[in-house]
């Protein structure tokens, strides 16, 4: 493909939306159970109650199998435009970073972004998209929790507005940003590094690896690692959004969780989050790059591989 042909913004928005919707619907049960596990310590201090099996059984017993997909609509409201915006910002930011790197290195033929740039564009793109979609995040978490019994989206919006005003739609924005920005930055850095390593090894051994397999392996590995590192912030975010009167700030929430539950308290639901994030990240990036390849835009699909 010629260097002058670039995919339009609509391609990146559409590819991001498709990958976001698909991953959201398929993986919603993981998010639901994780949220229920993270709220259990607030309801009881008895060990063993918050197990994954007991939580799933409780949900199915009270709401049927369909209950595992509770909160799918607010998740779609958040994740579809959220993923779409993320890839849109990612695509635009990478060109700015590449231009800066070319000037700093005096190399106008440079086509690969540095690991630092990958981390910066991943973190900044995620932070902006996450803040814009924060109201959707609040609705998603409250629908997944058993602490709220909203009858519908409109009723939930009215309830949040009447009880907390505009601020209610942005509770937990700081820990969310602290969680999402480092996660996205670390993820993109690891994702691109692992993909590059896979291709290098395949070339050295003269082995042909399908591009889909390359992106899926890199996505899972990067998602697992980044999820573990940022898990404590996910716990703080969830507690602040479910019980804002008890968990009033990031520092206070960290102290409260640590004092009452020790360091282990920050890792409630870690297995579900790590599993979901690993699969979700792999699925999202694989679908996104597949759509770009299908539309003839492969050279623009990878943040670390740009053409002059």
């Amino acid at each position: 493909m010629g260097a002058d042909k670039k995919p339009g913004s609509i391609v990146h928005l559409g590819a991001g939306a498709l990958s976001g919707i698909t991953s959201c619907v398929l993986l919603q049960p993981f998010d639901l159970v994780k949220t229920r596990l993270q709220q259990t310590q607030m309801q009881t201090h008895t060990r063993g109650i918050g197990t994954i099996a007991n939580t799933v059984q409780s949900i199915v017993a009270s709401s049927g199998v369909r209950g595992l997909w509770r909160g799918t609509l607010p998740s779609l409201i958040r994740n579809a435009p959220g993923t779409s915006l993320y890839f849109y910002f990612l695509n635009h930011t990478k060109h700015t970073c590449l231009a800066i790197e070319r000037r700093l290195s005096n190399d106008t033929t440079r086509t690969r972004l540095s690991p630092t740039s990958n981390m910066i564009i991943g973190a900044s793109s995620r932070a902006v998209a996450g803040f814009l979609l924060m109201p959707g995040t609040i609705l998603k978490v409250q629908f997944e929790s058993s602490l709220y019994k909203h009858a519908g989206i409109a009723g939930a919006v009215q309830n949040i507005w009447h009880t907390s005003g505009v601020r209610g739609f942005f509770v937990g924005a700081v820990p969310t940003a602290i969680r999402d920005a480092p996660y996205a930055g670390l993820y993109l850095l690891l994702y691109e590094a692992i993909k590059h390593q896979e291709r290098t090894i395949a070339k050295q051994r003269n082995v042909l690896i399908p591009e889909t397999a390359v992106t899926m392996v890199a996505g899972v590995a990067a998602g697992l690692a980044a999820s573990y590192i940022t898990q404590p912030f996910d716990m703080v975010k969830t507690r602040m959004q479910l019980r804002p009167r008890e968990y009033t700030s990031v520092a206070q929430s960290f102290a409260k969780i640590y004092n009452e539950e020790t360091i282990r308290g920050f890792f409630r639901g870690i297995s579900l989050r790590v599993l979901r994030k690993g699969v979700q990240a792999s699925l999202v990036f694989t679908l996104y790059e597949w759509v770009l390849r299908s539309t003839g835009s492969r050279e623009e699909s990878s943040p670390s591989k740009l053409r002059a």
Side-chain angles (χ1 to χ4, degrees), residues 54-65:
N54 287 343
T55 302
V56 172
Q57 289 175 359
S58 176
I59 295 171
V60 173
S62 62
S63 306
V65 175

Side-chain angles (χ1 to χ4, degrees), residues 130-144:
F131 180 78
L132 293 177
L133 273 298
M134 180 55 61
T137 300
I138 298 295
L139 290 174
K140 171 183 174 296
V141 172
Q142 290 195 4
F143 266 89
E144 290 171 352

Side-chain angles (χ1 to χ4, degrees), residues 45-232:
H45 288 268
T46 304
R47 292 188 177 185
I49 289 183
T51 64
I52 295 176
N54 287 343
T55 302
V56 172
Q57 289 175 359
S58 176
I59 295 171
V60 173
S62 62
S63 306
V65 175
R66 291 181 59 184
L68 293 171
W69 273 266
R70 175 178 170 81
T72 299
L73 181 56
S75 290
L76 285 172
I77 292 175
R78 176 196 180 278
N79 288 343
T83 306
S84 184
L85 285 173
Y86 168 67
F87 281 114
Y88 174 81
F89 291 135
L90 194 70
N91 176 58
H92 284 270
T93 307
K94 66 186 180 184
H95 292 290
T96 301
C97 285
L98 181 64
I100 293 174
E101 288 193 359
R102 283 174 171 173
R103 284 197 295 269
L104 292 176
S105 63
N106 293 319
D107 181 7
T108 59
T109 64
R110 188 185 185 104
T111 60
R112 182 179 295 278
L113 287 170
S114 67
T116 300
S117 290
N118 277 324
M119 178 173 281
I120 291 174
I121 66 173
S124 60
S125 298
R126 181 61 181 171
V128 174
F131 180 78
L132 293 177
L133 273 298
M134 180 55 61
T137 300
I138 298 295
L139 290 174
K140 171 183 174 296
V141 172
Q142 290 195 4
F143 266 89
E144 290 171 352
S145 172
S146 62
L147 301 176
Y148 296 84
K149 303 296 181 182
H150 298 306
I153 299 296
V157 171
Q158 291 179 348
N159 182 61
I160 295 172
W161 175 262
H162 289 155
T163 56
S164 305
V166 175
R167 184 179 180 277
F169 293 100
F170 292 89
V171 172
V174 174
T176 298
I178 295 175
R179 176 201 66 175
D180 286 352
Y183 171 84
L186 286 169
Y187 175 83
L188 194 59
L189 183 153
L190 294 171
Y191 175 74
E192 293 298 337
I194 294 170
K195 281 202 307 181
H196 178 66
Q197 189 65 26
E198 286 182 88
R199 290 166 178 156
T200 299
I201 293 175
K203 184 177 180 180
Q204 291 174 345
R205 300 186 178 182
N206 196 28
V207 176
L208 179 62
I209 302 179
E211 188 63 21
T212 299
V214 172
T215 56
M216 290 189 70
V217 171
V220 170
L224 292 175
S227 295
Y228 264 109
I229 295 171
T230 58
Q231 170 63 19

